[in-house]
Amino acid sequence: MVFGVGSQAFIIESNRTIREVTIVKRSGDFYIVRFGNAGGIQVRSCRLFATAEDAEATLPKRETIQKRTGYRSPYDYLH
């Protein structure tokens, strides 16, 4: 998807947080994006999403950890 200068987009930070950014400049397949008025980075177009729902759909799903109940030996480590 091609984003215009000044448009809003979303990126995924650290494979867990969705953050809204503003497009500052486009150069080929790269975009310079700004986080509010704090700073900015250069990213590829594949890391930008049009909506927060699109970004959330690509996040890895967390697996639920089953809790043990009852007696546990001190030598029963969870590796």
Side-chain angles (χ1 to χ4, degrees):
M1 175 173 225
V2 177
F3 295 95
V5 174
S7 65
Q8 301 294 320
F10 294 88
I11 63 169
I12 299 175
E13 289 183 334
S14 302
N15 220 10
R16 62 185 173 95
T17 307
I18 299 171
R19 190 162 182 186
E20 186 174 5
V21 296
T22 304
I23 307 296
V24 176
K25 181 181 174 184
R26 178 177 180 234
S27 178
D29 193 30
F30 290 95
Y31 289 89
I32 296 178
V33 297
R34 185 171 302 278
F35 309 111
N37 47 351
I41 60 172
Q42 182 173 344
V43 296
R44 284 194 181 266
S45 62
C46 63
R47 293 198 48 208
L48 294 172
F49 300 94
T51 63
E53 291 80 20
D54 292 342
E56 190 173 333
T58 62
L59 283 175
K61 304 297 180 207
R62 289 192 174 189
E63 296 179 14
T64 57
I65 300 174
Q66 296 178 353
K67 288 198 158 217
R68 291 183 166 191
T69 57
Y71 174 76
R72 290 194 304 184
S73 169
Y75 302 105
D76 186 18
Y77 302 136
L78 295 175
H79 288 279

